[in-house]
Amino acid sequence: MAPGTAGNSLRATYAAGELLDWIDVNSVEQEDVFRWIDENVPMENAAELARAWAAVLTEAEALMRGDETAYDALDDAGYTMKQPYRSTGRVKWAAWKLLPLFTQILDRTERAEYRYEAPGDYSAVTEEALAGIWVDDAGTTVLLFSEDGCRIVYPELELLGETAYAFRVRDRSSVGYCPELDIDYLQNDFSAPLVYYVSGIDDTHFWSNTQNECFRRLA
């Protein structure tokens, strides 16, 4: 797969159908996935691999919901699933097995200590500005923002990137505070989101002076 190229949507849908069927029969171990990445994916293609895997997961989610458009696309792609539905638990288990497709970004990230940076233009912190793939300097978290939502890869919290969560940016400038990035990963009502207080953003990174964190844009 090559995200952004002609025919990629059908390839993503085809791969999603294969993924859901593969869940029932696979015996792969994470070590096998790491080995495949080491042998086939150069460092400069790390973000492209993560973006392709995210696209497959998006199509798999649609198929699991029984989305008619997704199934029409699967027919157009020429793939027929052996069983039409899978439990979310099984998909999360598969996401764990294939987690290196995301975490290879963390493995290849050079760790760095946080350094204070003066606050930026708060108005520049928008949902649109966040589109892309970001990795924190501590090498613990990958955030993938798209029109589908935000995928969080944070293995210590067992967040495997298998779900695209709703997210929002809250403007708090009226009270003199920086914007708040909320990722709704628990309740589906933003009552207990994962929160980042964003001190500033540009084309290369966004940072939080409150939380001593910095995320670098990969793509």
Side-chain angles (χ1 to χ4, degrees), residues 25 30 64 133 176:
V25 300
Q30 281 193 349
M64 287 184 60
I133 302 176

Side-chain angles (χ1 to χ4, degrees), residues 165 184-191:
Y165 300 108
D184 190 24
Y185 80 110
L186 286 180
Q187 303 296 332
N188 296 320
D189 60 3
F190 286 100
S191 61

Side-chain angles (χ1 to χ4, degrees), residues 45-208:
N45 294 124
E48 183 179 359
L49 174 60
R51 192 163 52 242
W53 178 220
V56 173
L57 288 171
T58 293
E59 296 304 321
E61 286 177 325
L63 292 170
M64 287 184 60
R65 291 195 306 269
D67 186 287
E68 291 185 5
T69 301
Y71 275 93
D72 289 344
L74 194 63
D75 288 339
D76 291 341
Y79 190 84
T80 301
M81 287 175 55
K82 297 178 177 63
Q83 297 183 36
Y85 302 106
R86 297 294 186 282
S87 71
T88 55
R90 292 284 286 168
V91 172
K92 184 160 186 171
W93 178 81
W96 172 253
K97 283 295 191 81
L98 296 174
L99 184 59
L101 298 177
F102 280 144
T103 59
Q104 46 92 25
I105 289 177
L106 298 176
D107 297 334
R108 294 166 169 181
T109 295
E110 184 177 348
R111 274 54 170 175
E113 293 185 4
Y114 180 77
R115 293 185 179 182
Y116 176 86
E117 190 168 345
D121 178 3
Y122 290 167
S123 67
V125 184
T126 64
E127 285 92 349
E128 293 76 16
L130 288 165
I133 302 176
W134 307 77
V135 58
D136 69 326
D137 281 353
T140 65
T141 310
V142 179
L143 301 176
L144 300 94
F145 294 96
S146 71
E147 60 185 13
D148 301 311
C150 177
R151 296 184 182 278
I152 311 168
V153 182
Y154 192 165
E156 289 187 7
L157 291 183
E158 296 188 5
L159 294 170
L160 313 178
E162 81 281 5
T163 301
Y165 300 108
F167 69 95
R168 67 185 183 188
V169 173
R170 295 177 57 203
D171 180 2
R172 306 187 303 160
S173 58
S174 62
V175 291
Y177 294 157
C178 69
E180 177 181 310
L181 167 61
D182 297 334
I183 305 172
D184 190 24
Y185 80 110
L186 286 180
Q187 303 296 332
N188 296 320
D189 60 3
F190 286 100
S191 61
L194 179 64
V195 175
Y196 293 98
Y197 300 107
V198 184
S199 302
I201 190 171
D202 62 19
D203 290 339
T204 64
H205 68 302
F206 72 83
W207 65 98
S208 169

